[in-house]
Amino acid sequence: MIQTFFNPEIIVASWPIVRAGLLNTVLLSLLVVPLGLIGGLILALLASVKSPAVRWPLMAWVDFFRAFPPLVLLILLFAGLPFAGLELGGFVCVGIAFFLNTGAYYGEILRAGIDSVPAGQIEAARSTGLSRLQAMTYVVLPQAVRNVLPDLLSNTLEVVKLTALGSVVAVPELLYQARQAQSLTYSPTPIVVAAIVYFLMLWPVVRLLSRLENRALARR
Amino acid sequence: MSTWDRFAETFFNAKVMHRYLPDILSGVVVTIELALLVVATGIGAGLALALLRSLGIRPLNWLIIGVVDLFRSLPPLVVIVLIYFGLPSAGLAPSGFVSTWLSLAFVLMAFSEEIFWAGITSVDRGQWEAARSTGLSFGQTLMNVVLPQAFRLAIPPLTNRTIAITKGTALGTVVAVTEILGQASSAMSNSYNPSPLMMGAAAYLVLFLPVVVAARFIETRFAWKR
């Protein structure tokens, strides 16, 4: 059993391949998390314009991406667009797909955060002479982000996990590299190693989230 | 031929769509089967674990927390690949369908256990004590007093999480499950035309958009009024 799933020789042999994947997963996460946050911020700021002409299309946009599987979006960009003469690499496709998909999720969270800041705060900020944009940046957003911090963190965890989709469009991240190593060694050991790496990397975040959730409950 | 005509001819080719419609529809059936199985077993197992945890047996709770943390940390695609490509080396060879079902069910089990558990612990201790002192048993208190309140709290996060995980049925295509995306991809490479992929995308929207809209309604309906 250990020889099959946790073969020391194969671990040593495949580690350089898996480690390169780990590095790429970290880099990819550092790229797509800010990208999703920017997308979400744009949506949330648009939603703070309290006009039905803005709000309804926005809700439709968000619901569209909540209903659409991210893998389908990725395949559509990667395999569909070339038929329109637009050939983007797997890496660019992952960036666009994450901007759209995780942007919608971040947008919902940030919108809820902005809604949670009492209107009196904006009025007070505006009456001291701050512009709308200044009031938003210096008064509303810091409080909004603080109010939804656990949700933001929880979504970020999901985004990092989602980078494993990159393996489907040949982005050499952790899962992709592990599968390469698996086909080279004819052994599931590299995939087990990749799973352990994911677990060690993300488990502290999961623990932290559990504690934050319990604290939120205790405050109720 | 105008640009638009050429675009329509490529992405919404009537002949190709007509030819591959049956394939996409059979994919829809597989996706629905997989989704229902995942939701039923995942949420069922999650509730069972939360109830077990409420018994307060220490070593058992550690085990539950460990399993839940494991499946909250691992990307679902990694779990699918691990089961599909790993288990054959142990003499078990689950099909792609079974691998995807088990993986997503485990992930949903982990998330729903956390959500149910949060709901159960949110019920004030005093309510337990009051219910027990009127002569209700532990089981009766759980069933008639605690769970109805816990469910109410659990429903909005649970619907969100369930949709997100059920969408993951598309991941099955990586392990050759003939669900919508799998059918659409192979039809696309057979016909050298992206129309089947557009049909597949439309099929996902038809399946999941009503659920998302319903979830939005449920969220506002069950929002905890404070």
Side-chain angles (χ1 to χ4, degrees), chain B residues 127-128 131-132 134-148:
Chain B
Q127 294 209 25
W128 280 95
R132 294 304 299 277
T134 61
L136 294 186
S137 68
F138 178 85
Q140 284 173 320
T141 307
L142 197 62
M143 280 305 181
N144 300 324
V145 180
V146 177
L147 280 188

Side-chain angles (χ1 to χ4, degrees), chain B residues 73-84:
Chain B
S73 313
L74 291 182
L77 186 55
V78 173
V79 183
I80 292 174
V81 168
L82 205 56
I83 291 183
Y84 185 74

Side-chain angles (χ1 to χ4, degrees), chain A residues 63 66 105 161 203 207, chain B residues 69 72 85 160 167 216:
Chain A
D63 280 358
R66 277 171 78 183
Y105 282 87
K161 283 159 62 178
W203 190 44
R207 277 287 92 225
Chain B
D69 278 7
R72 277 181 77 178
F85 293 104
N160 270 330
K167 282 195 304 185
R216 207 181 257 288

Side-chain angles (χ1 to χ4, degrees), chain B residues 16-29:
Chain B
V16 175
M17 285 175 122
H18 186 250
R19 162 116 201 260
Y20 288 101
L21 183 64
D23 288 2
I24 302 289
L25 287 180
S26 80
V28 169
V29 174

Side-chain angles (χ1 to χ4, degrees), chain A residues 4-5 59 63-68 71-72 79 83 105 158 161 165 179 182 191 195 202-203 207 210 217, chain B residues 65 69 72-75 78 81-82 85-86 89 111 114 118 160 167 170-171 188 192 201 204-205 208 216:
Chain A
T4 312
F5 289 101
M59 211 190 248
D63 280 358
F64 178 89
F65 286 108
R66 277 171 78 183
F68 211 61
L71 182 59
V72 179
F83 286 98
Y105 282 87
E158 293 309 308
K161 283 159 62 178
L165 292 190
R179 290 196 58 187
Q182 175 215 12
I191 294 180
L202 299 176
W203 190 44
R207 277 287 92 225
S210 271
L217 276 174
Chain B
I65 294 170
D69 278 7
R72 277 181 77 178
S73 313
L74 291 182
V78 173
V81 168
L82 205 56
F85 293 104
S89 306
F111 278 100
E114 278 291 293
N160 270 330
K167 282 195 304 185
L171 298 177
M188 180 169 66
Y192 292 106
Y204 276 108
L205 287 180
F208 283 104
R216 207 181 257 288

Side-chain angles (χ1 to χ4, degrees), chain A:
Chain A
M1 200 72 167
I2 286 178
Q3 275 304 303
T4 312
F5 289 101
F6 209 65
N7 188 318
E9 278 165 45
I10 291 178
I11 294 175
V12 171
S14 65
W15 177 244
I17 302 175
V18 174
R19 200 188 56 184
L22 169 62
L23 192 69
N24 284 335
T25 288
V26 172
L27 289 176
L28 195 59
S29 304
L30 288 178
L31 178 84
V32 293
V33 168
L35 218 50
L37 275 171
I38 291 169
L41 196 59
I42 294 171
L43 291 178
L45 288 179
L46 280 175
S48 70
V49 181
K50 304 254 182 272
S51 144
V54 179
R55 237 179 159 140
W56 283 101
L58 221 53
M59 211 190 248
W61 174 273
V62 169
D63 280 358
F64 178 89
F65 286 108
R66 277 171 78 183
F68 211 61
L71 182 59
V72 179
L73 182 60
L74 188 59
I75 300 281
L76 211 53
L77 293 170
F78 185 73
L81 278 187
F83 286 98
L86 202 60
E87 207 147 333
L88 306 169
F91 188 72
V92 177
C93 290
V94 169
I96 298 173
F98 273 68
F99 177 71
L100 294 173
N101 174 73
T102 67
Y105 282 87
Y106 275 126
E108 274 293 282
I109 296 169
L110 289 172
R111 185 181 62 81
I114 290 176
D115 282 350
S116 75
V117 178
Q121 296 265 347
I122 302 179
E123 288 156 14
R126 296 278 282 134
S127 72
T128 62
L130 294 185
S131 71
R132 260 191 70 90
L133 190 68
Q134 285 174 322
M136 199 44 132
T137 332
Y138 297 116
V139 179
V140 178
L141 275 182
Q143 300 183 67
V145 167
R146 221 189 63 172
N147 288 347
V148 291
L149 207 52
D151 288 335
L152 282 177
L153 190 60
S154 155
N155 197 52
T156 304
L157 171 70
E158 293 309 308
V159 174
V160 173
K161 283 159 62 178
L162 214 55
T163 58
L165 292 190
S167 65
V168 181
V169 294
V171 172
E173 46 69 69
L174 187 47
L175 179 59
Y176 181 84
Q177 293 291 93
R179 290 196 58 187
Q180 293 291 104
Q182 175 215 12
S183 51
L184 285 174
T185 57
Y186 298 103
S187 155
T189 298
I191 294 180
V192 174
V193 172
I196 293 172
V197 172
Y198 273 115
F199 180 70
L200 291 180
M201 187 166 62
L202 299 176
W203 190 44
V205 185
V206 170
R207 277 287 92 225
L208 178 66
L209 274 171
S210 271
R211 290 183 60 177
L212 284 177
E213 280 155 18
N214 286 340
R215 238 188 24 210
L217 276 174
R219 253 208 314 267
R220 269 170 42 96

Side-chain angles (χ1 to χ4, degrees), chain B residues 92-115:
Chain B
L92 285 164
S95 66
F97 185 90
V98 171
S99 306
T100 311
W101 165 38
L102 285 180
S103 308
L104 295 179
F106 279 134
V107 173
L108 184 55
M109 171 190 82
F111 278 100
S112 57
E113 191 279 336
E114 278 291 293
I115 292 168

